[in-house]
Amino acid sequence: MKAAEVLSQYAAGKRDFRGQNLRGQNFQGKDLSGADFSQCDIRGTNFKEANLTKVKFIKATAGLQIQSKILLLLAAMVLVAISGVFSGWAGYYISWIFDGSDVQYRISGWITLATFAIFIFTTYRKGLVAGAVAVAGALAVAGAVALAVAGAVALAGALAGALAVAGAVAGAVAGAVAVAVAVAVAGAGAGALAGAGALAGALAGALAGALAGALTLLAYLISYRSIKGDIREAWLRDFAVAFASYGGTNFSSAIVIDADFTGATLKNTDLRAKLLTRTRFEGAINLELARVGNTLLSQPAVKDLLINPNMGYKKNYFKANLRGANLDQANLREANLTQADLSEATLQNADLRDTNLSQVNAVNTNFTHVYLTGACLEGWNIDSSTILDNIDCQYVYFVNNQEERRPSIGDFKPGEFSKLFKEVLDSIVLIFHNGVNWKAFASAFKQVQVKNKETPLDIESIENKGDGMVVIKVRVSPETDKAKIQQELQQEYEDFSKRLAASHQKQLAAQEQVIGIQNKEVNSLENIIDILAANMSDDTQNMTTVHLLENGKDIEQIEEQQNLIQGQIPNNVVRQLHEEYKKTKKLIEEKYEAILEANKALLESKQIQLEEKKQEINYLREKILTLSLNFNISKDNNDDKINK
């Protein structure tokens, strides 16, 4: 059926075109919304930039026409021939190992063989690109060594070997591309044929044949890994799939909304649609060989889920991009969808029991008749466009790990779930698991209000749930972009918390410095007592230290003049001084430890410690001065008695 006929009948109101042969027709830019092309042959058909809203392609056959397949396979055979030539060339150079007539030839042969071995090993372990890089490094080292050891002749041999290895690498690349393209176009049989061609083209002697065989096997391995989605050969897969889709069914830049590709064959198809929203791919065949660009089909886990919606049970889709996905009737029970983007998706009749929907973006998402019992809805983002009709739900949790059950006792009655979340539509829920820095929150809230002057924001409620958990609800209007406001509040709160923490640390550091100085002064006073005790006799003492204290000298000045202390104090005064010192030291330690333990890491504790230190210093000064004055009085009395 020709495109003109289809368009004419479509304009007349016909929508049912099931089973028609539309191979190679051109519908570029046409409006075909609502048409039914189920079971049609659409190989090579051009739907570029067409409007395909609600179009059915159930069990349709897309891909390449026969003539396009032949052209692509011929191109692959050209690459095969190139691979064979390069392989034979490298094998010929390796055969120089057995040429005893010229050292240059032997060096070329050995360098080629060694570098080729490095290439195969590295490619097998890390991929073709890494193998090529390893070859470049190995050739550079080999050339330098050859020049240093054997001079210019060896260097010439090394350069010849380099050319041979470059040929071998080019042959491996050409062979891998040829096999990958052949598999993408015509399946594994064509890939085997391409490999055999590469081997046959390189049989130029036994050694060359062995090398060609090794390269062919390597090409098979690389192409197999690329088609299976191995990340090491992702570039090759993308190239092969793009190359193989040339001339195939084309949906690029098309508007594909609510379309249905159930059971369709999509090999060698360009699905880089402008919009690919709520389109069903259940049971699609060879979708892995379609060119999908940056659509949601580019994610292997998501693509597999769309093909088989029943495989989502207990799977992890953390932060997955499911925007616009068609997950109707999907089994996502006990799956982890934390922070996933479900906006504009459809999940009608899906099983979401015990599923973690924390912080999902569910704006404009269709949850009609989903099974939601036991799901966690902590911080999920919904608005008035979210459809919550006929929800089958007995209870949900508002906090992870099955906390904050709703309803607290019993189950939802019919209609209660929808009523509950109608109220949620007008508020943003912020959950803090480790308490709230109220100063940071106040600053963040004010900052967000300034950024969104036209959006009224009000604190609706603050709930302390215990164990450090605090829930704050912010009331907004239904049309507000709650995801944006919530993200801004969380980001501003984190920023202000970090700034306040940094400021707090600076204040603590300053207080620690002051306390360190006071500790030094206490230690200096203790040293004075030890010096006095070490310079004692039965009768007299030098009063230098006492006079210094009486004259208001600093502790540092006393320390500078400690070497001048030559006097001696009576034993009974020293003993009394030591007893007082021990009591004072014990008192200081007890007070200091108690303060430090009770107020650790708090700025207020540092201020208390500072005051205590000042009192302790004054206490020690007064004690030393008092003891010294008592000693003076006693000494004067003794002198008077002696004079008398």
Side-chain angles (χ1 to χ4, degrees):
M1 193 173 187
K2 299 297 182 181
E5 185 179 356
V6 172
L7 293 172
S8 175
Q9 293 183 15
Y10 181 88
K14 183 177 179 178
R15 297 292 182 269
D16 188 354
F17 300 96
R18 288 178 293 176
Q20 297 295 325
N21 181 1
L22 303 176
R23 190 183 302 175
Q25 298 304 305
N26 185 8
F27 297 100
Q28 181 172 350
K30 303 302 181 181
D31 183 0
L32 297 169
S33 56
D36 188 350
F37 296 118
S38 297
Q39 300 177 334
C40 286
D41 186 347
I42 55 172
R43 285 177 286 184
T45 305
N46 184 13
F47 293 100
K48 184 177 182 179
E49 300 175 350
N51 182 0
L52 301 176
T53 301
K54 296 185 178 180
V55 173
K56 294 181 180 179
F57 292 99
I58 299 172
K59 294 186 178 180
T61 302
L64 292 165
Q65 298 186 78
I66 296 298
Q67 58 268 34
S68 297
K69 283 186 178 182
I70 293 173
L71 288 173
L72 290 175
L73 288 175
L74 287 175
M77 293 308 296
V78 171
L79 291 176
V80 165
I82 293 172
S83 175
V85 170
F86 279 129
S87 299
W89 183 25
Y92 173 69
Y93 271 85
I94 291 177
S95 67
W96 285 359
I97 293 173
F98 307 104
D99 189 342
S101 62
D102 195 329
V103 66
Q104 176 180 336
Y105 289 167
R106 291 199 301 274
I107 290 174
S108 298
W110 282 111
I111 288 177
T112 304
L113 180 61
T115 310
F116 183 67
I118 291 173
F119 170 67
I120 290 180
F121 178 77
T122 307
T123 301
Y124 175 77
R125 293 291 302 276
K126 297 184 177 181
L128 187 56
V129 174
V133 172
V135 164
L139 289 176
V141 173
V145 171
L147 180 62
V149 173
V153 173
L155 179 61
L159 291 175
L163 291 174
V165 173
V169 173
V173 172
V177 171
V179 174
V181 168
V183 171
V185 171
L193 183 62
L199 180 60
L203 290 175
L207 195 57
L211 176 62
L215 282 176
T216 301
L217 291 176
L218 186 64
Y220 267 127
L221 172 66
I222 295 169
S223 61
Y224 174 80
R225 291 194 310 204
S226 68
I227 294 299
K228 291 298 181 181
D230 193 314
I231 192 172
R232 291 173 293 186
E233 316 296 352
W235 69 273
L236 179 58
R237 182 191 179 283
D238 292 343
F239 176 81
V241 168
F243 190 73
S245 67
Y246 181 77
T249 307
N250 189 359
F251 292 99
S252 64
S253 302
I255 298 174
V256 186
I257 300 175
D258 295 317
D260 192 347
F261 286 94
T262 300
T265 300
L266 297 172
K267 182 179 181 181
N268 310 132
T269 300
D270 191 339
L271 286 171
R272 296 174 299 161
K274 180 179 180 180
L275 292 175
L276 193 63
T277 305
R278 295 185 297 276
T279 296
R280 193 158 185 81
F281 290 97
E282 183 178 4
I285 300 170
N286 294 138
L287 186 56
E288 70 279 2
L289 295 177
R291 190 178 187 184
V292 297
N294 294 322
T295 65
L296 77 168
L297 296 172
S298 63
Q299 306 166 87
V302 173
K303 178 185 64 182
D304 292 342
L305 178 63
L306 293 175
I307 295 173
N308 183 9
N310 290 319
M311 67 172 293
Y313 177 63
K314 285 189 175 182
K315 291 294 180 64
N316 184 12
Y317 299 103
F318 176 72
K319 286 189 175 181
N321 178 17
L322 292 163
R323 183 183 183 91
N326 188 316
L327 297 172
D328 289 347
Q329 301 177 357
N331 181 6
L332 289 166
R333 186 172 184 177
E334 297 184 43
N336 179 18
L337 290 167
T338 302
Q339 297 184 34
D341 186 357
L342 289 172
S343 59
E344 301 182 37
T346 175
L347 292 96
Q348 297 183 66
N349 299 296
D351 189 351
L352 298 176
R353 287 175 292 175
D354 302 310
T355 301
N356 192 344
L357 296 170
S358 300
Q359 301 179 50
V360 299
N361 182 6
V363 174
N364 198 22
T365 304
N366 190 347
F367 288 107
T368 298
H369 202 263
V370 300
Y371 299 87
L372 206 59
T373 298
C376 177
L377 308 180
E378 178 180 336
W380 73 332
N381 180 31
I382 60 177
D383 66 5
S384 57
S385 66
T386 305
I387 301 174
L388 299 170
D389 296 339
N390 301 318
I391 300 294
D392 187 325
C393 181
Q394 298 173 7
Y395 58 87
V396 293
Y397 297 99
F398 277 4
V399 177
N400 258 324
N401 301 317
Q402 297 188 342
E403 296 182 17
E404 290 297 308
R405 186 185 188 273
R406 291 291 186 277
S408 302
I409 301 174
D411 296 335
F412 285 121
K413 295 178 181 179
E416 281 189 341
F417 179 87
S418 297
K419 181 180 179 181
L420 171 66
F421 279 95
K422 183 161 188 339
E423 298 174 359
V424 175
L425 294 178
D426 297 333
S427 63
I428 295 171
V429 180
L430 301 172
I431 300 175
F432 301 87
H433 293 277
N434 299 308
V436 180
N437 184 329
W438 294 109
K439 188 174 181 179
F441 180 79
S443 300
F445 190 78
K446 184 176 180 180
Q447 185 69 16
V448 174
Q449 281 182 316
V450 171
K451 287 183 179 180
N452 301 272
K453 293 180 180 179
E454 298 179 356
T455 302
L457 302 176
D458 298 302
I459 302 296
E460 181 178 340
S461 65
I462 299 174
E463 300 178 64
N464 187 348
K465 300 295 184 179
D467 295 328
M469 181 184 294
V470 178
V471 178
I472 301 177
K473 292 183 180 179
V474 180
R475 179 172 292 280
V476 295
S477 57
E479 64 275 7
T480 300
D481 186 349
K482 296 203 300 299
K484 173 178 174 291
I485 299 297
Q486 183 170 353
Q487 183 178 6
E488 288 181 358
L489 281 170
Q490 291 173 339
Q491 187 61 52
E492 292 291 347
Y493 175 76
E494 290 178 7
D495 292 344
F496 277 108
S497 295
K498 290 177 182 178
R499 292 177 202 167
L500 290 173
S503 176
H504 187 67
Q505 288 298 323
K506 289 181 180 179
Q507 293 181 42
L508 288 176
Q511 292 297 329
E512 288 284 3
Q513 185 177 7
V514 174
I515 290 174
I517 295 172
Q518 299 299 331
N519 279 333
K520 181 179 178 182
E521 193 168 352
V522 170
N523 292 333
S524 298
L525 289 171
E526 291 174 351
N527 290 335
I528 293 171
I529 295 174
D530 291 337
I531 292 171
L532 290 173
N535 293 277
M536 63 181 181
S537 70
D538 293 335
D539 299 314
T540 62
Q541 80 166 83
N542 188 302
M543 298 305 298
T544 305
T545 301
V546 174
H547 291 313
L548 286 170
L549 285 170
E550 288 174 336
N551 293 329
K553 300 292 185 180
D554 292 334
I555 295 300
E556 288 78 4
Q557 292 174 301
I558 297 174
E559 289 177 337
E560 291 176 0
Q561 299 185 45
Q562 283 175 358
N563 59 328
L564 301 177
I565 299 176
Q566 303 294 335
Q568 297 174 334
I569 333 173
N571 286 336
N572 62 331
V573 175
V574 172
R575 283 193 296 271
Q576 183 181 0
L577 195 58
H578 269 289
E579 289 300 323
E580 291 294 336
Y581 163 68
K582 289 178 182 179
K583 291 178 183 179
T584 302
K585 183 177 180 182
K586 183 178 181 182
L587 179 63
I588 291 172
E589 289 176 349
E590 290 176 352
K591 287 184 178 181
Y592 184 78
E593 290 297 328
I595 293 170
L596 197 61
E597 183 68 23
N599 303 282
K600 189 176 181 180
L602 297 175
L603 182 60
E604 290 80 5
S605 71
K606 303 303 180 182
Q607 294 172 343
I608 294 173
Q609 292 172 31
L610 182 59
E611 292 300 322
E612 291 289 336
K613 288 296 178 182
K614 289 179 179 179
Q615 294 177 10
E616 290 161 12
I617 292 169
N618 293 334
Y619 179 81
L620 284 171
R621 281 176 170 171
E622 292 173 1
K623 183 60 65 177
I624 293 173
L625 185 59
T626 302
L627 290 172
S628 300
L629 291 174
N630 290 337
F631 174 75
N632 280 341
I633 294 171
S634 176
K635 181 175 180 296
D636 291 341
N637 291 336
N638 289 335
D639 291 341
D640 291 341
K641 289 180 181 179
I642 292 171
N643 292 332
K644 289 179 180 178

